[in-house]
Every structure is written in structure tokens, then in C-alpha cells.
Amino acid sequence: MTKKLFYNGDILTLEDELYAEAVLVEDGKIKAVGKKDELMIQNSDAEMIDLQGKTLMPSFIDAHSHFFGYANSKLQVSLEDAVDFDDIANRIKTFIEKNNVPEGVWINANNFDYNTLAEKTYPRIDFLDEVVPNNPIIIANKSGHNGLVNSLGMKELGITIDTPDPEGGVIFKENGKLNGYLEENAFINNVQRVPMSSTEDIMKAVLEAQNDYASYGITTMQEGMVVPLLADLLAYMAHSGMMKIDYIAYVDIREREKIFEKLQGCINEYKNHFKIGGFKTFLDGSPQGRTAYMRTDYQGEEGYRAYPVMSGEELEGLIEIALKENMQILAHCNGDAAVAQYLEQYKKAKENLNTDNDIRPVIVHAQLMGLDQLPEVKKLGMIPSFFVAHVYHWGNIHVQNFGLERASQISPAKAALDLGIKFTFHQDAPVIEPNMLETIWIACNRKMKDGTVLGEEQRIPVLAAIEAVTKNAAYQYFEEDIKGTIKENKLADLVILDKNPLKVDVYDIRNIKVVETFKEGNSIYKA
């Protein structure tokens, strides 16, 4: 029997009694929450953990990311904050030399964003062929919704000038030839076909990535899209016992049967910290890539509102599958037209089946969801998971794409809060780091990188932002009975912060440090 008693700091429970004097943890669960003196006398055999004025609170819960993609990114060329084409070329060449990459072996690069480049556009295929003449290369945009491939890569993937665009995607051409750029399903479908690194290298990266999540105070994380190619690796991870953080996966609903065959025993039930939580699908693209499906025109492109990934009829059929199988469904929706499609088809599917089954469907990202759509979101019991960090990281791009007035309403968390809608926040790692404290800071301040406030009326109180990444996220996963607050009989998933986010200046929240992270009472990270 292992016992720990935490005391002498701010213990933030997130329950009706917001603070407690002491917390007793025993065998992975919270045994008691109460007065310090009483618990110390009754549990003199416990390990005494003096917080020394620091703050103990429920650990953070990742409401949406792609953990395996984050791990895999550690084996790729990082183009994070590349400044121009020359910078891209130098990073790729350095990676090839440093890792002695043989000719003919695929090279993966990530975190490309042409919005940050001096050229303000993407490099074409001729440039890529010159930089990487002897290896196929694929470069993923930071959003994960588009990317670049050189000529060798196009050949390996079987893409020619005559290859038709897939539904919900575009293979770009210029002057009668491929220009190297693939968008939405044209990219997403092909990136899954690129060979992975060795299992040994991948597992090392998984362990490193898991430690990164723990360093941000996270004890539950997500795999936001499981495709068949990934299922074998996830099965290995589930059976190996290498996971120390709860890992919840959402499978491509179109491939569910293939994936379920490989992950039996993990469906809605943890096996060594891993489980299948439901289904995932995509309805549109990214706002910064101008592929979010909108009800109104993009700035500077009259008549252009992007496009849906699938028809309403197909979406309705997929939702009916989720309802019949009593599985949660997550749908990637950035634009308000995509949100409208999701709302309409979910409502129709429930009516068709005449069911009141509550599968807590999640609107992933929900950045450009209209304020007029929120009442229907509440009525249908949907959960918006806002990628609110876009305000800081790409706020200026949203202003360019949608105008200041519309951009000011991205991730309308305050409007949702006022309506009593349960919402969560996420970082969509590897798009950005899974830094929960940064996200809380952004939600409360809504400042862009230039210091300008974007949508002051959508700022929310700090407590509401904390709840979005703790108790609300637990609710999203149907785990509110075991996670999200400090309460007797819940799991002892806890984090120690060097300062109390409710007591520092709201602008200083991003400077708070994670001191230690506990999963079921065991320390899994210590600064």
C-alpha cells in the first residue's frame, strides 16, 4: 500500500469547495480531501509531500491531438519558423548529412507554414527537386491539411499529371505540370502511404514524446485519427505496457472494421493505459490554409468559400453508424459551413433512428463556428473543442482571410460559456506543443503575437479556462467520474505548479512552470 499526503500549498480542487488544506492519495486514487491536521494525524504512515506554497491541482487532459504524429515528428526535419526558401533548403540538407540518409529513402519534414516565409508562398516542385534530387520527400504543412512532394515522391506515390483530384482534395498543377502541392484529401490520403521509420526508432520517439506530454502536466492524451497502418503499432504499444499516460484513440470511421480487428480488448476499455474511445472523421480543412468550409466568402476571393470533404448524405450515414454502435464521434470542423453540415446531419441521424442516445459528439477545432450556431450546439448536446491558441499563433492570418470583425469571433469560448455549453481546449499537437498553460493564457487574454487583442468580448475567466482542460475534458471522454477534479475516489492524476493561475496576473499565466506530474499517484515527471 502506497500513501502520499499533500499539504502546505494551494490545493485547487475544482469542486464546489474550490480549495482544500490537504489531499491523501492511496493506491492510485484520492482517498481523502480535508483538513491538514486531521489527515496528518490519521495517516502518519503516509509519505508527506510539503508543497512549500506551490499549487496542486488536477492534471491536464488533452482533448485533441495526434500523439503518434507528435512522436513521429521527432524523426523528421523540422521547418518550424523557417524564414525563407533558403532556410528550408539548409535544414533539409543538414538533416540528410547528419543522419546519413541513403539515396532512395523517404524524407519527412513537418511544421511548414508558408505564411511565415519571406516569399509568402510555397516552394514549387523544381525547387524541391534541386534541394533533394536523390530522395523522395514529403513536407507537411503545420496544419496537417496540405503539403509538398518532389518528383521522386510523386513517382513513388503514383501521382501523375493525369491523376484526378480525389473527393475533397486538390492536386495542384501549373503550366501543364504538377507543381508539388497537395491539398486536403489529396495530401492526407497520400501521406499515410509514406513508409514509416523503423519500429525501434519509433518506440524511442514515443517514449520521448510521452515525457514531453507529462512535462506539460498532461496525464490523458489523444490519438486523433487512427488509420489501419497505425493500428499494428498501437496494438504493440497497448500490449507492451510502455504507456504511463492514458492514451485514448479515435479510429477512422471508414476503416473501423480493419482497425478493430487489431485492437480487440481495447474498445472503450483501458489496456495498459490505452483504449479506443470512438470514431473520427473530417469535414473540412484549415482556415490559415484557406480550406475551412465557410458560409461567407474569403477575403479577396469573391465566390470562394472552400469546400466540404464529404456529402451530407455520407456524413449522415457515418453518424448513424456511431449512434447504432454507441460510439462517440469526433468531426474535424473549422468553418461555419462545416459546422452547419455536422449539426444538420447529426440531428437528421438521430431523428432517422428515433434515438435519444447521447454519444457526446465533439466539434473538433470549431474555430469559425458562428455565434448563431451555438444554441443548436447546446440543444444537440455537442461539445466544441476549441483550438483557441490560433488567436495567438495565427490571429493575423485569420484577419487577412476573414476580416477583423469575423476573425474576432474565432473560438467563441465566452459566448459558449454564457450559454452553459461545456467546451474544451486543445493544441492539436504536433501542430503546436501541447502546452496547456499557454492555451489558458491565450483564452484569457486573446492577444496575437503583435500584442493586439483579437476579440476582447470572447475572453473568459481563468477558472473557466482551467476547467476546459480538466473537468470539461474529462466529461468529453465520459470520464468525469474518475478524472478532472480532486475528489474522493477519483484517480490521483495531479500536477504541481510553481504558482497558482488564479492568483497571478492574468498576463503572467504563460510563465507558470510545471514542477511535477503524477499519474495515479506515481510521479511521471519532475522538473
Side-chain angles (χ1 to χ4, degrees):
M1 182 173 67
T2 58
K3 296 169 70 173
K4 292 183 175 76
L5 184 64
F6 297 86
Y7 68 99
N8 195 26
D10 282 349
I11 297 177
L12 186 58
T13 68
L14 301 185
E15 288 286 340
D16 292 338
E17 290 290 330
L18 190 57
Y19 289 100
E21 287 187 11
V23 173
L24 177 68
V25 170
E26 185 174 329
D27 293 336
K29 291 188 176 182
I30 296 167
K31 186 70 173 180
V33 182
K35 299 293 184 183
K36 178 182 72 173
D37 292 342
E38 291 177 6
L39 290 179
M40 292 184 80
I41 291 171
Q42 295 167 6
N43 299 278
S44 58
D45 59 334
E47 176 188 353
M48 299 294 171
I49 300 180
D50 185 345
L51 294 169
Q52 298 180 334
K54 299 180 180 68
T55 297
L56 180 76
M57 60 174 283
S59 57
F60 299 127
I61 297 173
D62 162 36
H64 177 69
S65 71
H66 302 268
F67 171 75
F68 189 83
Y70 180 84
N72 202 38
S73 71
K74 295 181 176 296
L75 304 172
Q76 301 173 352
V77 185
S78 175
L79 300 181
E80 180 80 35
D81 297 327
V83 296
D84 54 25
F85 289 178
D86 287 341
D87 190 8
I88 290 173
N90 290 334
R91 294 191 194 196
I92 293 171
K93 290 176 180 177
T94 299
F95 178 87
I96 293 172
E97 293 171 5
K98 182 179 178 181
N99 294 281
N100 297 312
V101 181
E103 291 186 6
V105 173
W106 272 94
I107 295 169
N108 286 267
N110 61 55
N111 283 329
F112 164 74
D113 184 359
Y114 66 78
N115 292 300
T116 69
L117 301 179
E119 292 86 354
K120 297 300 179 186
T121 188
Y122 54 88
R124 274 29 179 198
I125 200 166
D126 292 341
F127 172 86
L128 296 178
D129 291 344
E130 182 179 345
V131 175
V132 195
N134 302 313
N135 299 81
I137 185 170
I138 189 162
I139 300 175
N141 184 279
K142 201 173 179 70
S143 69
H145 285 262
N146 51 67
L148 312 170
V149 183
N150 67 352
S151 293
L152 279 177
M154 292 287 190
K155 183 178 179 181
E156 290 284 330
L157 295 170
I159 299 173
T160 70
I161 189 67
D162 298 318
T163 301
D165 293 334
E167 182 182 2
V170 182
I171 300 170
F172 280 75
K173 298 150 191 171
E174 287 177 320
N175 302 318
K177 59 177 285 190
L178 298 169
N179 79 353
Y181 187 73
L182 306 177
E183 187 174 88
E184 295 305 330
N185 280 344
F187 175 74
I188 293 168
N189 295 343
N190 279 292
V191 74
Q192 296 170 8
R193 300 169 55 211
V194 174
M196 291 186 176
S197 303
S198 71
T199 301
E200 181 182 2
D201 286 343
I202 289 172
M203 291 306 116
K204 287 179 181 177
V206 164
L207 291 174
E208 184 181 348
Q210 188 176 199
N211 288 334
D212 286 354
Y213 272 66
S215 75
Y216 288 114
I218 295 169
T219 58
T220 299
M221 59 192 182
Q222 186 181 116
E223 185 55 58
M225 182 67 159
V226 181
V227 296
L229 188 64
L230 183 54
D232 286 327
L233 283 167
L234 293 181
Y236 173 81
M237 291 161 62
H239 287 86
S240 69
M242 67 188 296
M243 305 310 297
K244 60 186 178 182
I245 292 176
D246 285 345
Y247 186 21
I248 306 175
Y250 288 80
V251 307
D252 181 347
I253 190 168
R254 292 169 169 170
E255 303 281 1
R256 62 193 179 282
E257 293 179 1
K258 294 179 186 176
I259 296 167
F260 282 176
E261 283 178 11
K262 299 177 180 181
L263 293 168
Q264 290 294 326
C266 302
I267 301 171
N268 283 326
E269 182 178 347
Y270 280 111
K271 183 179 182 66
N272 294 324
H273 292 294
F274 174 83
K275 76 174 179 180
I276 298 296
F279 298 134
K280 172 72 180 296
T281 193
F282 284 84
L283 302 187
D284 71 343
S286 72
Q288 69 271 37
R290 299 175 77 90
T291 54
Y293 182 36
M294 299 296 297
R295 294 183 293 181
T296 54
D297 296 349
Y298 279 81
Q299 292 276 100
E301 287 191 77
E302 186 176 350
Y304 176 72
R305 301 181 179 186
Y307 45 84
V309 169
M310 68 178 73
S311 68
E313 292 75 15
E314 181 179 4
L315 175 59
E316 186 178 327
L318 297 179
I319 294 171
E320 286 187 5
I321 290 169
L323 287 165
K324 288 175 183 176
E325 298 186 15
N326 195 30
M327 296 288 284
Q328 187 179 36
I329 186 167
L330 279 57
H332 169 112
C333 299
N334 267 311
D336 51 13
V339 173
Q341 185 184 42
Y342 195 19
L343 294 173
E344 180 181 359
Q345 302 310 324
Y346 182 67
K347 182 179 179 181
K348 282 185 178 180
K350 293 200 76 170
E351 290 173 349
N352 290 344
L353 297 176
N354 191 27
T355 179
D356 58 0
N357 191 8
D358 181 12
I359 59 172
R360 297 184 189 175
V362 180
I363 308 170
V364 176
H365 306 327
Q367 288 186 74
L368 288 144
M369 181 165 59
L371 300 185
D372 62 307
Q373 295 174 317
L374 287 169
E376 186 71 3
V377 169
K378 181 177 182 179
K379 181 179 178 182
L380 293 173
M382 288 184 156
I383 302 171
S385 187
F386 295 119
F387 194 171
V388 71
H390 261 250
V391 171
Y392 176 75
H393 290 279
W394 290 281
N396 61 323
I397 304 302
H398 288 297
V399 173
Q400 291 175 23
N401 286 342
F402 305 107
L404 179 60
E405 182 178 355
R406 183 68 185 89
S408 295
Q409 300 301 326
I410 63 171
S411 295
K414 182 59 165 63
L417 182 67
D418 289 345
L419 283 174
I421 295 171
K422 282 187 172 70
F423 59 85
T424 63
F425 293 142
H426 65 267
Q427 295 82 28
D428 203 21
V431 175
I432 61 172
E433 288 291 311
N435 187 339
M436 294 292 183
L437 287 164
E438 180 190 66
T439 285
I440 292 169
W441 173 80
I442 292 168
C444 299
N445 289 282
R446 290 187 68 99
K447 286 198 173 184
M448 298 190 291
K449 285 185 177 179
D450 64 3
T452 305
V453 174
L454 183 65
E456 181 175 6
E457 67 276 16
Q458 293 301 338
R459 289 172 167 174
I460 62 172
V462 178
L463 181 58
I466 292 172
E467 289 177 339
V469 294
T470 52
K471 64 193 300 183
N472 289 4
Y475 177 86
Q476 179 183 302
Y477 284 122
F478 291 85
E479 294 188 336
E480 66 268 27
D481 291 339
I482 60 170
K483 296 177 182 176
T485 67
I486 295 178
K487 185 179 181 180
E488 289 180 12
N489 296 318
K490 287 194 175 185
L491 296 178
D493 292 356
L494 306 166
V495 63
I496 299 175
L497 306 178
D498 68 345
K499 294 181 179 66
N500 186 340
L502 294 178
K503 293 184 177 180
V504 302
D505 185 280
V506 68
Y507 198 73
D508 291 332
I509 290 172
R510 72 183 308 189
N511 300 319
I512 294 173
K513 305 298 183 187
V514 173
V515 175
E516 193 166 5
T517 305
F518 298 86
K519 174 60 182 155
E520 294 172 31
N522 296 313
S523 177
I524 59 171
Y525 167 79
K526 193 169 186 177

